[in-house]
Amino acid sequence: MLSVSEAAELNVPADVVWKTLGDFGAADRYLDLVERCELQRNGGSVERLLHLRGGGLVHERLVLACPQDRALRYTIVDSPLPVADYVSTVRVDAIDGDRCRVSWSATFDPYGAGEEQARDAVAAIYRMGFDGLRRLHAV
């Protein structure tokens, strides 16, 4: 099993960033590769379909949302990414009243690609998310 962990400091209050990241259906607001994000219920589960620009679909399931800790965990059900058994956690921690640290990590097995390619793909998405959050919340 592989792991990837990325973190970034943002000059934005933690509660503001959490309002975006804590909304499981808002990935299209901060991930440039997502054209549209569609929430759906599947039994007792909350799932999202990320419709990718240029085609492709990522199907994810929310595992845990913890607003008091500003954290959520999700899995990938189906995806064109070179990963299997993917579980990710994203968390927002306050540094002070005007800054926060976003931590995004995952464990997974490579699937259809080598370890380095799988790690690089996941890390690139996280960094894209940090950049998108910065643009979205630019003052």
Side-chain angles (χ1 to χ4, degrees), residues 16-91:
V16 172
V17 174
W18 173 248
K19 187 173 180 178
T20 302
L21 286 176
D23 178 354
F24 197 58
D28 55 344
R29 294 183 64 209
Y30 57 88
L31 284 174
D32 288 342
L33 64 95
V34 178
E35 183 174 1
R36 181 171 56 94
C37 183
E38 175 185 349
L39 274 184
Q40 61 184 24
R41 303 249 182 244
N42 186 0
S45 297
V46 175
E47 299 180 349
R48 67 183 175 191
L49 299 175
L50 305 176
H51 299 266
L52 305 179
R53 295 185 194 285
L57 184 71
V58 178
H59 180 182
E60 298 176 332
R61 179 174 298 129
L62 183 64
V63 175
L64 173 72
C66 188
Q68 61 271 29
D69 291 335
R70 294 188 211 95
L72 61 81
R73 180 170 296 136
Y74 62 95
T75 62
I76 291 179
V77 177
D78 189 38
S79 162
L81 290 170
V83 299
D85 299 320
Y86 177 97
V87 179
S88 181
T89 301
V90 62
R91 179 182 179 101

Side-chain angles (χ1 to χ4, degrees), residues 121-138:
V122 171
I125 291 168
Y126 293 172
R127 289 190 299 268
M128 178 190 302
F130 298 146
D131 290 344
L133 288 165
R134 284 185 186 101
R135 276 192 309 278
L136 181 65
H137 298 294

